[in-house]
Amino acid sequence: MRAAETAGADALLLTHGADVRYLSGFTGSSGAIALLGGRATLFTDGRYANQAKAEAKGLRVVIDKRPPEIQAVEWLASSGATQCAFDAGITSVASLERMKKALPQPLRRGFFLPTEGLVARLRQIKDDDEVARLRRAAAIGCGLFAMVLEYVTSSATELQVAAQLEFMARLAGAEAMSFETIVAGGERSALPHGRATSARLPAQGFVTLDFGVLLDGYCSDMTRTVHLGRATEQEWEVYHSVLEAQQAAIAAVAAGVRCADVDEAARSVLRRAGLEKEFAHSTGHGVGLEIHEGPRIAAAQEQILEAGMIITIEPGAYLSGSPGGSALKPDAMAAGRSRVASSRSRRVHPVEKGFGVRIEDMLLVTRSGCEVLTAASSRDWMEL
Amino acid sequence: MRAAETAGADALLLTHGADVRYLSGFTGSSGAIALLGGRATLFTDGRYANQAKAEAKGLRVVIDKRPPEIQAVEWLASSGATQCAFDAGITSVASLERMKKALPQPLRRGFFLPTEGLVARLRQIKDDDEVARLRRAAAIGCGLFAMVLEYVTSSATELQVAAQLEFMARLAGAEAMSFETIVAGGERSALPHGRATSARLPAQGFVTLDFGVLLDGYCSDMTRTVHLGRATEQEWEVYHSVLEAQQAAIAAVAAGVRCADVDEAARSVLRRAGLEKEFAHSTGHGVGLEIHEGPRIAAAQEQILEAGMIITIEPGAYLSGSPGGSALKPDAMAAGRSRVASSRSRRVHPVEKGFGVRIEDMLLVTRSGCEVLTAASSRDWMEL
């Protein structure tokens, strides 16, 4: 409510599922919270009558057939609200029109005050209970990775590995996966979002696994890249450049640090290794009730990290193949690591087949640094 | 485009993922299609450069860093569009503001014309290719139900059954489940949306399984209710009332029939059985790229069924428990089936523990009636 008052309104309407759950505990798919004069009321429909009362303790609960946001608006109007902040990033144009029509004519003009992310900003800082849930979700992620490794063989398809991983996740109590499982083998590891397909894993090549569970409403997110068969020197180089970038970013994380500086910590390592263009996405994101929340760990992000934020750090490098050629520029390679034997040659490490590497951990920002919630799962080079 | 012209605009902007996929084949998570003068252009970002060109054949593809809808609006403005229809049910208030700001000042007033569901209405009628995909998805659903039955025992938890079902779905090639799997045992079968929990299945009682797969972008959806252990007469009665209602609704389906009349065909059977109040949801819905599409098969829905629509028919009855009491009114029971022994008594069938039954099939509306796509899975009474 303080957030709404800051915006100048005396009332606040929330309709986004994650916001409603965050403030009330209510997990139904259809609900709206109206706040006025320090009192919060949850509106939902008959399907959720018992559930709303059980979950949204301390809130007044109103059940009605009409859409919850219409109920909420009518109640606010009849309770003397004069201006109501709503989330313009969530509310559709059509929904706002319907809400306006639910108001008495004299109130319509200027009643609704568009804001964005009022609750999403609060949700960035996790309380102890949320940290505990995210810690459990992250721990399950680590366990799943350890268990699924025995299925990561060249006789398996990406889909079979994903199926095993998801099966074990469900048996471990996950409500669902927190996003589409990525199992990307061989050349498909060069796709940043290579969701599992019926493609067979390679006899020789990387396999990237990026996955998370939804546990008690909260998301986990982690990525590991392993190698099947014997790797080339370049594969080894790129892996360790990404790992170095990831560790540099993790080392940069602490309350008070700008998100852009954490991103740059990872990006500068990959730049020195000649892999800047091969790292085309941001370094990380907040995670909680939703898989992608604030803050964004990306270039030009001025936001300051705060203790209690839970974020991912996930740099990667993706090299597309070009028959007979090298994806790395020779000059860039010259700036690379010592295992590069003859960095002046144009074809020291030809990348006939593309490949990619990403390493991702989930971590809790603390005053002095951070705690890696997925630390139980090793990031060491793994040749299976 | 004809749809937009009917609305009075010379341009059309589409941003909803299912609409974009429907019209272009593009499956990326971020894309916008602009239509002007019979030409369609797909806008997306660098992550999807190769994918967009491969998937969206016949469309011009533009790749840029900015949000696709902003790219689209700028292109429309510079190409001479004077008014652009957009989907007000999809577009957020904040997104519309940003799109307005992307326009040259003189164009801003009146450029955007709110419409709702222009493409969603087209999507209701499936073409042959879509029917083939939905048929395959439905067939996989039937196979999964047959295979999962061996896990439906009183020693299993709901979650274990769901995990097995989802595991087999993935191995069969499903991209994902089309919604959260419902496995609701015993008293939990009285919840219309009882998603699988760690609760153990009952030694005696109903188990409702409601699930679907996402296959090649298209959703399946089916529900079966089976009984563990020996059923009471009332359980048998309610099951057969729901089955009779479902078959009556299926028999009512044909091109040219009002949706409300199909709903009434199911509802009247349950009304005669004294179960009208226990059937609190609608009878069905369209299904396709999204799990819930038009038409709605519900009371007061004037929409007329058309050949090529694919819909669900899924009546149910949910009896909440009341210690020592009956959920059915004695008068209502009197109108029930012949197996009711002494329908005048207040306690012929006490429902101490609540239970529920739902039976759902997916069907293709044809000129003369319908074809049940989930016919391979029996609806017969099943006591396991």
Side-chain angles (χ1 to χ4, degrees):
Chain A
M1 196 60 227
R2 261 176 306 165
E5 281 162 5
T6 308
D10 59 354
L12 176 58
L13 173 65
L14 300 168
T15 56
H16 184 48
D19 293 345
V20 168
R21 179 170 185 158
Y22 180 74
L23 291 180
S24 72
F26 175 61
T27 63
S29 66
S30 170
I33 292 181
L35 291 112
L36 177 69
R39 279 187 65 204
T41 303
L42 171 67
F43 298 87
T44 182
D45 63 56
R47 290 174 299 170
Y48 296 113
N50 296 329
Q51 184 181 331
K53 282 161 194 163
E55 292 178 340
K57 295 205 173 83
L59 263 73
R60 194 169 73 99
V61 173
V62 176
I63 306 292
D64 190 284
K65 275 196 168 188
R66 289 163 310 153
E69 70 279 11
I70 300 296
Q71 300 179 44
V73 165
E74 290 181 359
W75 176 74
L76 285 172
S78 66
S79 304
T82 61
Q83 193 172 41
C84 175
F86 73 101
D87 197 319
I90 298 295
T91 308
S92 76
V93 173
S95 177
L96 180 60
E97 271 315 297
R98 284 190 288 268
M99 294 188 330
K100 280 184 182 164
K101 282 190 185 140
L103 287 176
Q105 189 73 48
L107 264 181
R108 286 185 196 174
R109 200 183 156 83
F111 185 78
F112 288 108
L113 181 71
T115 62
E116 274 194 79
L118 287 182
V119 177
R121 275 195 287 282
L122 302 177
R123 282 170 39 207
Q124 292 187 11
I125 315 289
K126 273 66 180 176
D127 66 24
D128 290 351
D129 178 55
E130 291 183 289
V131 171
R133 290 183 198 213
L134 285 156
R135 197 187 289 283
R136 277 205 308 278
I140 285 184
C142 292
L144 290 173
F145 177 71
M147 291 192 293
V148 87
L149 276 180
E150 74 170 287
Y151 299 98
V152 180
T153 69
S154 56
S155 60
T157 67
E158 294 171 349
L159 208 47
Q160 284 165 349
V161 174
Q164 290 290 353
L165 191 136
E166 294 169 9
F167 179 53
M168 296 186 291
R170 285 292 256 161
L171 293 183
E175 285 115 65
M177 303 311 282
S178 55
F179 58 91
E180 271 192 315
T181 301
I182 290 175
V183 179
E187 292 192 71
R188 294 195 74 254
S189 65
L191 302 171
H193 290 97
R195 67 158 201 234
T197 67
S198 56
R200 209 160 283 283
L201 297 185
Q204 280 198 312
F206 280 119
V207 182
T208 298
L209 296 106
D210 184 352
F211 63 95
V213 299
L214 186 68
L215 188 79
D216 216 3
Y218 285 79
C219 300
S220 78
D221 192 359
M222 68 181 283
T223 307
R224 292 292 182 267
T225 303
V226 300
H227 201 280
L228 284 174
R230 210 178 141 68
T232 64
E233 286 216 345
Q234 191 186 33
E235 286 175 329
W236 194 95
E237 290 290 333
V238 170
Y239 185 90
H240 285 90
S241 294
V242 171
L243 179 56
E244 192 187 329
Q246 202 238 5
Q247 295 298 308
I250 291 176
V253 168
V257 173
R258 279 195 326 156
C259 291
D261 292 340
V262 175
D263 181 81
E264 178 57 22
R267 210 165 293 278
S268 61
V269 171
L270 291 169
R271 190 179 301 126
R272 283 197 303 275
L275 291 167
E276 188 178 20
K277 280 195 180 164
E278 284 69 29
F279 174 34
H281 56 72
S282 57
T283 294
H285 56 84
V287 59
L289 284 166
E290 293 180 291
I291 184 64
H292 289 118
E293 305 189 342
R296 287 190 61 213
I297 315 299
Q301 289 293 313
E302 296 296 328
Q303 189 176 355
I304 305 294
L305 290 176
E306 295 175 58
M309 286 177 168
I310 292 190
I311 60 173
T312 69
I313 294 292
E314 50 177 312
Y318 313 92
L319 286 71
S320 45
S322 55
S326 166
L328 295 196
K329 295 182 208 83
D331 290 354
M333 287 301 291
R337 296 167 61 96
S338 58
R339 267 184 69 170
V340 178
S342 167
S343 55
R344 298 286 164 198
S345 158
R346 273 206 164 262
R347 295 208 180 175
V348 185
H349 300 286
V351 187
E352 294 208 15
K353 292 188 174 180
F355 67 85
V357 171
R358 183 170 60 258
I359 305 170
E360 174 185 26
D361 284 293
M362 233 171 106
L363 37 93
L364 170 66
V365 180
T366 63
R367 271 199 236 175
S368 59
C370 69
E371 179 197 344
V372 179
L373 302 182
T374 40
S377 181
S378 163
R379 275 146 241 87
D380 292 350
W381 172 259
M382 221 182 278
E383 228 168 66
L384 302 177
Chain B
M1 197 60 226
R2 260 176 306 163
E5 281 163 5
T6 309
D10 59 354
L12 175 59
L13 173 65
L14 300 168
T15 56
H16 184 49
D19 292 346
V20 169
R21 178 172 186 157
Y22 180 73
L23 290 181
S24 72
F26 175 61
T27 64
S29 66
S30 170
I33 292 180
L35 291 113
L36 177 68
R39 278 188 64 206
T41 304
L42 170 67
F43 299 86
T44 182
D45 63 55
R47 291 174 298 171
Y48 296 112
N50 296 330
Q51 185 181 330
K53 281 161 196 163
E55 291 178 340
K57 295 204 174 84
L59 264 73
R60 194 170 71 99
V61 174
V62 176
I63 307 292
D64 190 286
K65 274 197 168 187
R66 290 163 310 153
E69 69 278 12
I70 300 297
Q71 300 179 44
V73 165
E74 290 181 359
W75 176 75
L76 284 173
S78 68
S79 303
T82 60
Q83 192 173 41
C84 174
F86 72 102
D87 197 320
I90 298 294
T91 308
S92 77
V93 173
S95 176
L96 180 59
E97 271 315 298
R98 285 190 288 268
M99 294 187 331
K100 280 184 183 165
K101 281 188 185 142
L103 286 176
Q105 189 74 46
L107 265 181
R108 286 187 196 173
R109 200 183 156 82
F111 185 79
F112 289 108
L113 180 72
T115 61
E116 275 194 79
L118 287 182
V119 178
R121 274 194 288 281
L122 302 178
R123 283 170 39 209
Q124 291 186 12
I125 314 289
K126 273 67 182 176
D127 66 24
D128 290 350
D129 178 56
E130 292 184 288
V131 171
R133 291 183 199 214
L134 285 156
R135 198 186 291 281
R136 278 205 308 276
I140 285 184
C142 292
L144 291 173
F145 177 71
M147 291 193 291
V148 87
L149 277 180
E150 75 170 287
Y151 300 98
V152 180
T153 69
S154 54
S155 60
T157 67
E158 294 171 348
L159 208 47
Q160 285 164 348
V161 174
Q164 290 290 354
L165 191 134
E166 293 169 9
F167 180 53
M168 295 186 292
R170 286 293 257 161
L171 293 184
E175 285 116 64
M177 303 310 284
S178 54
F179 57 92
E180 271 192 314
T181 302
I182 291 175
V183 179
E187 292 192 70
R188 295 195 74 254
S189 64
L191 301 171
H193 289 97
R195 67 159 199 231
T197 67
S198 56
R200 209 159 283 283
L201 298 185
Q204 282 198 312
F206 280 120
V207 181
T208 297
L209 296 106
D210 185 352
F211 62 95
V213 299
L214 187 68
L215 188 79
D216 215 2
Y218 285 78
C219 300
S220 78
D221 190 0
M222 67 181 285
T223 307
R224 292 291 182 266
T225 303
V226 300
H227 201 279
L228 285 174
R230 209 178 141 69
T232 63
E233 286 217 343
Q234 193 187 31
E235 286 175 328
W236 194 93
E237 291 289 333
V238 169
Y239 185 90
H240 285 88
S241 294
V242 170
L243 179 56
E244 193 188 329
Q246 201 237 7
Q247 295 298 309
I250 291 177
V253 169
V257 174
R258 280 196 325 158
C259 291
D261 292 339
V262 175
D263 180 82
E264 178 58 20
R267 210 164 293 278
S268 63
V269 171
L270 291 168
R271 189 180 301 125
R272 283 197 301 276
L275 290 167
E276 187 177 21
K277 280 195 178 163
E278 284 69 29
F279 175 34
H281 57 73
S282 57
T283 294
H285 56 83
V287 59
L289 284 166
E290 293 181 291
I291 184 65
H292 288 117
E293 304 189 343
R296 287 190 61 213
I297 316 298
Q301 290 293 314
E302 296 296 328
Q303 190 175 353
I304 304 293
L305 290 176
E306 296 174 58
M309 287 179 167
I310 292 191
I311 60 173
T312 69
I313 294 291
E314 50 177 312
Y318 313 93
L319 287 69
S320 46
S322 54
S326 167
L328 295 195
K329 294 183 208 83
D331 290 354
M333 288 301 290
R337 294 167 63 96
S338 58
R339 266 184 69 169
V340 178
S342 165
S343 55
R344 299 287 164 196
S345 157
R346 272 203 165 264
R347 294 206 180 178
V348 185
H349 299 287
V351 187
E352 295 208 11
K353 293 187 173 180
F355 67 85
V357 171
R358 182 171 59 260
I359 305 170
E360 174 185 26
D361 284 293
M362 234 171 107
L363 38 93
L364 169 66
V365 180
T366 63
R367 272 199 234 174
S368 59
C370 68
E371 179 197 345
V372 179
L373 302 182
T374 41
S377 181
S378 163
R379 277 145 241 88
D380 292 351
W381 172 260
M382 221 182 278
E383 229 168 66
L384 303 176

